[in-house]
Amino acid sequence: MQDYRKDFPIFISTDCVYLDNAATSQRPQSVIDAVSDFYVQSNANPLRGLYDLSMKATERYESARKKAASFIGAGRADEIIFTRNTTESINLAAYSYGDDAVKEGDEIVISIMEHHSNLLPWQRLAKEKKARLVFMEPDESGVIPEKEIEDKICEKTKIVAIAQVSNVMGIRNPVEKIIDRAHRMGAVVLIDGAQSVPHMKVNVTELDADMFAFSSHKMMGPMGIGVLYVKKSIMEKMKPFLMGGEMIEYVTREDATFAELPHKFEAGTVNAADAYGLDAAIDYLNMVGYDYIEKRDTELVNQMMEGMKKMGHITIYGSDDPSKHNGIVTFNVEGVHPHDVSSILNEDGICIRAGHHCAQPLMQFMKVGSTARASAYFYNTKEEIDRFLDCLSRVREVAGYGS
Ligand code: PMP
């Protein structure tokens, strides 16, 4: 195993076992330095000033856009809109594209396993337009079957929005098949890449995705910056999302024309420092490489699953195959509420997530109130997983069930 941990100052300053990487990852020093360096070396309001410092800020912001474009295989930098996060990216898509594209009687197709961020924007749109929100459902192994794709995506479908990787079960959805079906039916597809981009190589051009959303903070970049990729031909038809400074070309008392793409969608002072941090995160992720990340994901999940199976009293959700989990193991301990599981583990400095994971319809579908979720990333160690498993093996005893 490579020693990447030394690059992460948080592992020096704390002794906790961090297994909540699906919620947010940790940041390497190079990312922290990039954000700080932006303010030390180049702080001025970007895109506005005609002086050197502002131009340096602009240069850094725009070079981050180029980096983000090539990172996900987009053909052009102006297909990248910077947002705050995946949630804002999807809301932008639902307003700016969806409001004009969806009419009464149309259908919007998502899946039952979507994060609320990829559900509520479409609920809002469907309600306002009197359109129907249709849910694709997975089989027992967590996979959306081909028949479900064929049945649910039809001539009435105008938009399909689907997570490439589920934040609850870590499963990869068959987005290639979904995109193919949607395009044959004349629908536009948005892929929620919040959980995929940190773990697998994405190429939006090869996928032929129309829109693709992700958050920097889940892939070692700063919080507060996200990306919405939109194919140029689609972006050209979209109305602005937020109104104000920076997104205009010319303004009179009564009217305004808008800035060229993608600035039309980036109203107000932009988050250039964190975009520069995202740029550094992409470099770091590329340096580690997806081959290594995927190998570590499988090793760590395998260790967790094997350990849990030996314990009994534990239900693991999703596939039996550790390589299909993208670092995530969602489980329940018989008789102990997931919140209590998390609190007991916290006593030993182990950080996992418990609750509905912002996916309440999936919990209802799975007929569970909530679950516990341990999510690993390549920098977690075998020793940390041992510590987690050791503590987990004592949870029922601590909760009063005997061992
Ligand atoms: N979609 C998925 C699949 C996610 O896992 C998350 C974050 N948990 C989001 C969307 C929302 O991301 P953010 O909070 O960064 O907007």
Side-chain angles (χ1 to χ4, degrees):
M1 185 196 152
Q2 301 281 342
D3 184 17
Y4 290 116
R5 281 177 82 77
K6 63 177 181 353
D7 298 337
F8 293 77
I10 195 147
F11 298 136
I12 298 160
S13 66
T14 75
D15 179 38
C16 69
V17 173
Y18 187 75
L19 291 172
D20 195 17
N21 292 284
T24 197
S25 61
Q26 299 299 345
R27 284 109 188 106
Q29 188 67 51
S30 60
V31 169
I32 298 166
D33 286 347
V35 176
S36 154
D37 186 65
F38 180 90
Y39 289 116
V40 172
Q41 303 276 343
S42 61
N43 184 51
N45 202 317
L47 310 162
R48 288 183 190 187
L50 298 173
Y51 49 89
D52 284 355
L53 200 58
S54 174
M55 286 191 265
K56 189 166 178 188
T58 307
E59 218 171 86
R60 287 183 157 186
Y61 184 62
E62 292 304 332
S63 84
R65 196 190 304 281
K66 280 197 199 112
K67 183 76 64 75
S70 78
F71 174 58
I72 57 166
R76 333 166 33 119
D78 60 7
E79 292 179 317
I80 299 293
I81 301 168
F82 280 124
T83 61
R84 282 189 305 139
N85 45 39
T86 305
T87 305
E88 188 173 285
S89 294
I90 299 173
N91 274 279
L92 194 164
Y95 275 100
S96 298
Y97 178 76
D99 273 16
D100 290 332
V102 174
K103 308 267 182 298
E104 186 169 346
D106 287 345
E107 294 186 353
I108 301 163
V109 178
I110 65 170
S111 88
I112 198 73
M113 69 182 88
E114 296 313 308
H115 188 282
H116 295 162
S117 295
N118 196 29
L119 163 61
L120 272 65
W122 308 115
Q123 265 181 0
R124 191 272 314 162
L125 181 62
K127 275 186 201 154
E128 277 182 26
K129 300 288 170 183
K130 297 195 174 62
R132 200 161 82 91
L133 192 54
V134 176
F135 294 84
M136 293 185 285
E137 293 177 358
D139 59 22
E140 313 74 58
S141 63
V143 177
I144 300 175
E146 223 163 311
K147 179 156 186 331
E148 189 70 2
I149 299 170
E150 303 279 322
D151 287 352
K152 301 277 167 78
I153 302 174
C154 64
E155 291 83 2
K156 287 186 182 168
T157 311
K158 290 293 170 295
I159 298 174
V160 179
I162 178 95
Q164 192 164 20
V165 170
S166 151
N167 67 307
V168 180
M169 289 190 285
I171 198 114
R172 290 185 188 184
N173 281 320
V175 294
E176 292 82 357
K177 285 188 186 137
I178 291 170
I179 292 171
D180 180 55
R181 172 74 182 170
H183 286 170
R184 279 191 284 121
M185 294 296 117
V188 157
V189 184
L190 178 141
I191 303 293
D192 172 353
Q195 295 293 343
S196 58
V197 150
H199 295 273
M200 60 187 276
K201 184 75 197 144
V202 167
N203 188 307
V204 291
T205 307
E206 280 169 20
L207 273 178
D208 200 17
D210 301 300
M211 305 192 202
F212 189 94
F214 67 95
S215 296
S216 143
H217 71 93
K218 290 185 199 282
M219 46 163 290
M220 299 179 283
M223 291 183 179
I225 188 95
V227 166
L228 177 64
Y229 158 82
V230 185
K231 265 184 197 161
K232 181 98 193 286
S233 56
I234 294 176
M235 206 194 284
E236 275 165 352
K237 292 185 210 137
M238 283 166 43
K239 66 179 184 186
F241 179 43
L242 299 171
M243 299 285 182
E246 277 316 306
M247 48 80 71
I248 54 90
E249 180 194 42
Y250 190 69
V251 182
T252 62
R253 286 188 188 209
E254 296 81 21
D255 216 348
T257 54
F258 302 118
E260 62 187 22
L261 301 177
H263 302 285
K264 176 176 156 183
F265 298 101
E266 295 178 358
T269 298
V270 296
N271 187 357
D274 290 329
Y276 193 56
L278 170 61
D279 188 323
I282 294 171
D283 285 344
Y284 190 85
L285 214 160
N286 284 336
M287 183 271 292
V288 175
Y290 283 105
D291 287 347
Y292 183 74
I293 292 174
E294 291 188 30
K295 179 172 156 284
R296 291 294 297 152
D297 282 346
T298 304
E299 283 169 3
L300 294 164
V301 166
N302 186 43
Q303 192 189 346
M304 286 197 265
M305 287 173 67
E306 288 305 310
M308 287 181 189
K309 280 182 199 161
K310 280 187 203 136
M311 275 173 222
H313 303 293
I314 292 190
T315 307
I316 301 171
Y317 300 98
S319 171
D320 261 350
D321 179 350
S323 72
K324 299 237 155 71
H325 280 252
N326 286 287
I328 294 176
V329 182
T330 291
F331 62 98
N332 265 320
V333 180
E334 198 185 311
V336 189
H337 192 282
H339 284 170
D340 294 331
V341 174
S342 172
S343 298
I344 293 167
L345 293 178
N346 182 47
E347 293 295 308
D348 280 351
I350 293 156
C351 315
I352 64 155
R353 182 54 67 96
H356 51 64
H357 314 293
C358 299
Q360 284 182 347
L362 178 63
M363 297 290 121
Q364 291 147 15
F365 179 76
M366 289 163 65
K367 299 194 174 49
V368 289
S370 54
T371 67
R373 181 188 71 184
S375 53
Y377 208 14
F378 65 90
Y379 43 59
N380 286 119
T381 63
K382 183 177 178 307
E383 292 69 30
E384 285 185 304
I385 304 298
D386 282 340
R387 212 174 121 191
F388 158 67
L389 289 170
D390 178 51
C391 188
L392 187 63
S393 70
R394 284 182 278 109
V395 158
R396 274 174 56 90
E397 194 181 340
V398 177
Y401 280 89
S403 56

